[in-house]
Amino acid sequence: MATLTKQKIGGILARQGILIAFAIFMIAFTLASAKFLSVDNVFSVVRSSAILGVMALGVTFVVISGNLDLSVGSMMSFSTIVVLDLHDKIGPALAIPAMFAMTLCLGAIIGFLVGYLRLNSLIVTLGMLSAIHGLTLTYSGGQNMDIADKEGTWFSVFGQGSALGIPVPILIFVGLAAFLGVVLARTPFGRKVYAVGGNGTAATFSGIRRARIVFQCYLISSACVATAGLIQASRSLGSQNTVGQGLELEVLAAVILGGASLLGGSGTIFKTVIGVLILGFIQNGLLLLGLQFYVQFVVTWVIIILAVWLDIAAKRGKLLSPIA
Amino acid sequence: MTDPVLRLEGIVKTFPGVRALDGVSFSVLPGEVHALMGENGAGKSTLMKVLGGIYQPDGGEIVMGGETVVMSGPLEAKSKGIVFIHQELSLAEELSVAENIYLGELPRKSFGRVDWARLAEQTNTILKKLNVGFDAMTRVGDLSIANQQMVEIARALTVDAKAVIFDEPTASLTDAEKVVLFEVIADLQKDGVGIIYISHRMEEIFKITDRISVLRDGQYQGTVETTGTDEETVTQMMIGRKLDLSRNAAHHELGAVALEVRGLSCGDLYRDVSFTVRRGEVVGFYGLVGAGRTEIAETLFGLRVPSAGQILLDGEEVHIHSPADAIGKGISLVPEDRKGQGLVLGMNCRDNMTLPQVDDLRAGPFMAEGAEVAIFDQYRDRLDIRTPGWRQKVGNLSGGNQQKIVIGKWLSMHPNVLIVDEPTRGIDVGSKSEIHKLLRELAAQGYAVIVISSEMPEVLHVSDRIIAMYSGRIMRTFTSDEVTEDSLIQAISGLGGDREA
């Protein structure tokens, strides 16, 4: 066996820091609570993480391309409300494509503003967060949206169904993650996303159409949001206007926790999935330990900051550093 | 003999797998300008970081005024009178000159309020010494790069400097600004300050330094008196072999005209520019910064829209709307700013090299990674790029190897017209001559090559013809046989008249 030098260990820690943190964390919670690693519990965590996870997949593209998307939470509310409303009006078979089209339009607007007009993505998507919320409330008249016949619709399959004993939301999450993971890692488009986020000017000087790539990343993000909205609507078959509120930060936290840089150019779908799972297991673990639900928000935040700090410290090689 | 202000004794610094500094010793006398030379990666920066307290040496000692000192950090170094003028400026653009100079030690009044009057007065005293045309309250962002550098220097003068280290200070200065800088250095010299001067530019080294110390691969090669040596000797110490600095004499068969530009203008940037480039020919564009050379290249590459004129490729008029368009038409541009425009530093070597052709290198919907590696291997061997492997991030390579990646990236596109803008900026002499040789070889293989450069030896060395530009106009075109340094300087200063050769 090769001897492990201090340097090698440091290198492994730097590259796999997030996986190691995940493993330590899982072991600690398993020791603390016997139920934690039971099949039922794991399934329930993954299932409840699926909506967040699907959205995080799309946001990963946006973040790697060097931008932010803070509008995904309110966009998800929009998708959910729209598809529930249209379900009773035009039937689920038409409601789903119609909702996807409308959500993609929102993504296209953001993509146009950030990609082609080169406006700051933080401002654009923060504004869209609020604008889309207003749009949703206008659409619904502020009312909760419910499907009339909750028993007799096949629409519930996306949120409540299962195949081969695996819940459909998990299948969608895993399937989409595999597909988008391959797109990002193995296709010319994925390569261009990394180039645009790593150095947009150099990408332009290499003949890459930066605006188009950014635009396409926002389209992917909105398609993921629409999918998440579909799962959400199908699971509850009724919804408030604020169902996705605050999710944008959790999504971003999962992506960053996975190790994508907010500066763009780095991150992978696999790491984002790990980030999503860490977030899901943290919240679940805290509940099992009997912490009050509201305390979770604080603890989640602390753990995220810790994870990000350790990640950066591993890359710098020190815990505290005056220079990057 | 006077005591040195600073003496380094057998400094050793190791990093994982590398002995970056291996017993480096030299001393700086008061009132001396001491050049520190070496190729990129020879250990100059590491040595300076040791001196500045950023790295702790693994062996050896730093001696000042007869005592061994330990530099525990940058502040400690500064308080001991060691001051750095960095190549890359570290100024707060939104603050005034005075605030930048006294950042961290602003003079105070009661209740911690800043004493603005005293601050301005102190600053203006220093600025007067430097003889600059701006005052204490000017916003730094409004100053030219050269004047910003003067602010850095002014900062050095606030402490009782014993040794001042200039790291490539002239990289972005015009000739007139250099003169001012050299005067400042002369003044420091008079005050008995020891100066370490790091530069790749031989002319400067021989103009202003007293002694030259050379590093190679982290090892100290020796110190020589500047007056007792010449460029060739120093170069040989640096790279361990001789260098070909001759004028370009070899001419090869010229082919058909690959690129013709007729009456091209772009707003105020350049006007009525016409020239041709034939296959097998290297055309050098020489001029001062701001003469419009880079802007012409950017227009040919589809990054700027010309306001008038025509571009013809192989005799046919073309309109180039974007870089993608230019690449499709067989034009490649190795841009001026390697890190900003040429490379994605966080990406690996292979991916950087194949970036312009990602859409063509596919197997079904996926990247053909094998083909990518093949391209990388081919150009790594051809350009002698030194890297542990294609997975290495480009940001970890030395400047010369980075530049070769950029050149390889564009050669692998097999362009008809290759434009290289400042191909050897910030690169050590060894890599420089390799790149020059490569440009000549490419022309011999039938490429039409345009070389834009601000360095006269470079233009003279590689070009078949030289186009001299001044303030957006072509002043004169020289063939390599008729060109003289004087006539070239006259042409780029706007003195050469409008004679077209």
Side-chain angles (χ1 to χ4, degrees):
Chain A
M1 199 184 129
T3 48
L4 281 176
T5 63
K6 209 173 160 191
Q7 251 79 37
K8 274 187 192 157
I9 295 173
I12 293 168
L13 272 176
R15 264 175 283 122
Q16 311 297 347
I18 204 74
L19 275 179
I20 294 168
F22 185 45
I24 293 173
F25 168 84
M26 292 297 283
I27 293 167
F29 269 100
T30 310
L31 293 177
S33 166
K35 263 199 285 180
F36 186 64
L37 219 54
S38 66
V39 177
D40 276 356
N41 192 49
V42 169
F43 255 43
S44 104
V45 169
V46 179
R47 184 167 57 190
S48 62
S49 300
I51 290 173
L52 180 84
V54 166
M55 288 159 78
L57 297 177
V59 171
T60 303
F61 278 78
V62 173
V63 168
I64 293 175
S65 78
N67 293 300
L68 287 175
D69 194 346
L70 294 178
S71 69
V72 291
S74 78
M75 201 188 284
M76 196 272 258
S77 305
F78 174 81
S79 306
T80 308
I81 293 294
V82 166
V83 79
L84 287 173
D85 177 60
L86 293 181
H87 179 277
D88 284 1
K89 287 182 180 153
I90 58 176
L94 285 175
I96 295 171
M99 176 274 277
F100 265 83
M102 288 163 83
T103 312
L104 282 171
C105 280
L106 296 175
I109 292 170
I110 300 175
F112 175 76
L113 294 174
V114 178
Y116 289 92
L117 298 191
R118 306 207 35 195
L119 305 181
N120 181 299
S121 66
L122 178 73
I123 304 299
V124 169
T125 59
L126 198 58
M128 280 304 265
L129 186 162
S130 164
I132 296 173
H133 185 52
L135 192 65
T136 311
L137 287 169
T138 312
Y139 185 93
S140 69
Q143 302 297 308
N144 289 351
M145 206 60 80
D146 276 292
I147 288 178
D149 178 15
K150 290 194 180 182
E151 302 302 320
T153 177
W154 57 267
F155 182 72
S156 62
V157 67
F158 303 106
Q160 301 171 17
S162 64
L164 306 167
I166 303 170
V168 172
I170 296 184
L171 290 175
I172 295 177
F173 177 41
V174 171
L176 204 55
F179 173 69
L180 290 177
V182 168
V183 168
L184 189 57
R186 299 284 312 279
T187 67
F189 170 73
R191 184 70 61 78
K192 291 187 223 171
V193 172
Y194 282 106
V196 164
N199 184 346
T201 309
T204 306
F205 271 79
S206 299
I208 292 172
R209 296 177 199 275
R210 176 185 186 169
R212 185 185 293 176
I213 299 296
V214 170
F215 181 81
Q216 287 166 338
C217 284
Y218 278 105
L219 278 190
I220 291 175
S221 179
S222 61
C224 287
V225 168
T227 310
L230 176 67
I231 299 173
Q232 175 64 41
S234 161
R235 188 163 77 177
S236 52
L237 299 177
S239 175
Q240 298 176 333
N241 289 290
T242 54
V243 59
Q245 204 171 44
L247 272 184
E248 57 279 340
L249 289 182
E250 277 191 60
V251 165
L252 198 60
V255 173
I256 301 302
L257 208 52
S261 163
L262 274 184
L263 301 174
S266 74
T268 65
I269 288 292
F270 176 71
K271 286 181 177 173
T272 291
V273 170
I274 297 292
V276 168
L277 292 180
I278 291 180
L279 209 59
F281 277 109
I282 288 174
Q283 290 173 350
N284 171 266
L286 294 175
L287 268 183
L288 287 183
L289 290 184
L291 258 73
Q292 204 191 349
F293 178 71
Y294 302 112
V295 179
Q296 273 191 37
F297 291 107
V298 180
V299 177
T300 305
W301 177 81
V302 170
I303 291 179
I304 289 168
I305 296 294
L306 269 177
V308 172
W309 177 45
L310 287 176
D311 189 42
I312 288 174
K315 280 177 194 147
R316 287 179 191 144
K318 306 181 185 173
L319 287 181
L320 292 172
S321 165
I323 51 171
Chain B
M1 195 179 142
T2 43
D3 282 337
V5 284
L6 176 71
R7 193 157 56 89
L8 299 173
E9 274 293 329
I11 299 287
V12 174
K13 176 73 194 172
T14 53
F15 293 110
V18 198
R19 209 166 168 84
L21 292 174
D22 193 1
V24 176
S25 314
F26 74 99
S27 56
V28 184
L29 302 171
E32 172 191 43
V33 181
H34 195 124
L36 182 62
M37 300 196 74
E39 293 191 273
N40 291 336
K44 290 169 301 186
S45 313
T46 313
L47 186 62
M48 290 307 111
K49 281 180 180 158
V50 167
L51 199 51
I54 294 168
Y55 294 154
Q56 294 306 316
D58 300 323
E61 54 188 23
I62 303 169
V63 183
M64 290 186 78
E67 281 174 46
T68 303
V69 292
V70 175
M71 299 295 179
S72 60
L75 285 177
E76 172 108 22
K78 194 176 176 189
S79 74
K80 292 205 160 72
I82 295 187
V83 181
F84 290 85
I85 314 288
H86 292 287
Q87 177 182 7
E88 273 149 34
L89 301 168
S90 51
L91 297 169
E93 296 206 338
E94 296 299 328
L95 297 183
S96 70
V97 170
E99 286 167 294
N100 266 288
I101 292 175
Y102 285 99
L103 207 60
E105 43 205 9
L106 296 170
R108 299 292 175 84
K109 294 193 289 194
S110 56
F111 301 110
R113 291 172 302 152
V114 173
D115 188 343
W116 290 105
R118 197 144 64 89
L119 177 64
E121 191 193 306
Q122 285 177 354
T123 308
N124 282 328
T125 317
I126 294 176
L127 293 181
K128 204 172 283 168
K129 251 197 260 178
L130 293 177
N131 199 14
V132 292
F134 54 90
D135 78 352
M137 287 304 149
T138 316
R139 182 177 158 271
V140 163
D142 295 335
L143 297 174
S144 68
I145 297 288
N147 278 333
Q148 291 189 8
Q149 197 135 30
M150 287 299 162
V151 176
E152 287 267 8
I153 294 168
R155 208 194 245 175
L157 301 181
T158 62
V159 296
D160 181 19
K162 297 210 168 49
V164 181
I165 293 112
F166 289 88
D167 188 359
E168 291 272 358
T170 55
S172 47
L173 298 191
T174 65
D175 287 341
E177 291 164 340
K178 277 182 206 166
V179 173
V180 179
L181 175 75
F182 294 157
E183 280 169 12
V184 171
I185 291 178
D187 282 348
L188 286 170
Q189 245 178 313
K190 259 181 239 147
D191 296 340
V193 177
I195 289 159
I196 299 179
Y197 192 88
I198 301 174
S199 176
H200 288 309
R201 299 197 177 173
M202 288 285 184
E203 320 129 60
E204 291 169 14
I205 298 284
F206 280 89
K207 197 165 156 194
I208 69 164
T209 67
D210 301 309
R211 291 195 296 162
I212 303 171
S213 288
V214 179
L215 296 182
R216 182 166 85 219
D217 298 330
Q219 288 180 338
Y220 173 64
Q221 298 293 315
T223 301
V224 292
E225 298 278 337
T226 309
T227 47
T229 186
D230 55 26
E231 280 190 31
E232 225 181 298
T233 317
V234 174
T235 308
Q236 215 170 342
M237 283 170 80
M238 281 167 63
I239 63 176
R241 63 188 150 83
K242 288 202 174 185
L243 203 64
D244 173 23
L245 287 169
S246 64
R247 199 72 78 75
N248 170 39
H251 297 288
H252 10 261
E253 281 300 289
L254 297 188
V257 172
L259 169 73
E260 182 174 359
V261 168
R262 286 188 197 150
L264 200 67
S265 301
C266 184
D268 293 334
L269 296 169
Y270 58 86
R271 288 179 306 280
D272 198 20
V273 166
S274 303
F275 62 90
T276 58
V277 188
R278 308 171 79 98
R279 291 184 192 283
E281 185 179 40
V282 179
V283 174
F285 274 74
Y286 186 61
L288 299 171
V289 172
R293 298 163 302 159
T294 297
E295 289 76 7
I296 292 174
E298 287 173 351
T299 309
L300 292 174
F301 199 59
L303 288 158
R304 289 177 191 276
V305 183
S307 50
Q310 290 172 299
I311 300 169
L312 292 85
L313 286 173
D314 293 326
E316 276 180 46
E317 185 173 0
V318 291
H319 294 278
I320 302 165
H321 304 287
S322 67
D325 215 9
I327 293 166
K329 292 185 165 75
I331 299 175
S332 285
L333 170 66
V334 175
E336 179 181 25
D337 178 358
R338 179 167 65 238
K339 290 182 181 172
Q341 302 166 333
L343 296 166
V344 184
L345 292 176
M347 251 188 181
N348 67 41
C349 295
R350 182 198 70 181
D351 293 0
N352 263 291
M353 202 179 266
T354 56
L355 202 52
Q357 46 183 329
V358 279
D359 281 323
D360 303 324
L361 293 171
R362 51 166 95 209
F366 302 122
M367 293 298 310
E369 304 209 14
E372 287 189 278
V373 174
I375 288 176
F376 173 77
D377 284 346
Q378 185 189 342
Y379 287 92
R380 180 197 57 203
D381 294 344
R382 183 163 167 202
L383 304 179
D384 189 23
I385 298 170
R386 279 169 226 159
T387 154
W390 63 262
R391 288 183 181 82
Q392 185 74 13
K393 282 193 179 156
V394 163
N396 296 338
L397 301 184
S398 72
N401 281 315
Q402 287 183 352
Q403 185 70 353
K404 287 182 193 170
I405 297 263
V406 184
I407 292 176
K409 157 168 144 179
W410 290 112
L411 287 186
S412 69
M413 299 302 292
H414 306 294
N416 296 319
V417 178
L418 176 68
I419 308 169
V420 290
D421 196 351
E422 301 289 356
T424 61
R425 177 177 285 174
I427 287 181
D428 59 73
V429 273
S431 309
K432 216 174 204 171
S433 74
E434 282 175 39
I435 287 173
H436 290 163
K437 205 169 118 226
L438 176 75
L439 291 173
R440 293 300 312 163
E441 282 170 10
L442 291 173
Q445 288 162 22
Y447 288 94
V449 183
I450 294 177
V451 175
I452 299 171
S453 176
S454 303
E455 290 186 43
M456 190 182 298
E458 178 162 283
V459 189
L460 291 173
H461 187 54
V462 300
S463 313
D464 294 304
R465 279 189 299 136
I466 299 172
I467 294 177
M469 287 195 69
Y470 168 73
S471 182
R473 283 171 190 274
I474 292 183
M475 300 305 286
R476 229 186 124 173
T477 305
F478 300 90
T479 65
S480 64
D481 299 323
E482 66 181 10
V483 66
T484 62
E485 298 190 8
D486 281 348
S487 57
L488 200 49
I489 286 181
Q490 284 195 347
I492 65 153
S493 330
L495 303 170
D498 288 70
R499 278 184 301 144
E500 284 267 339

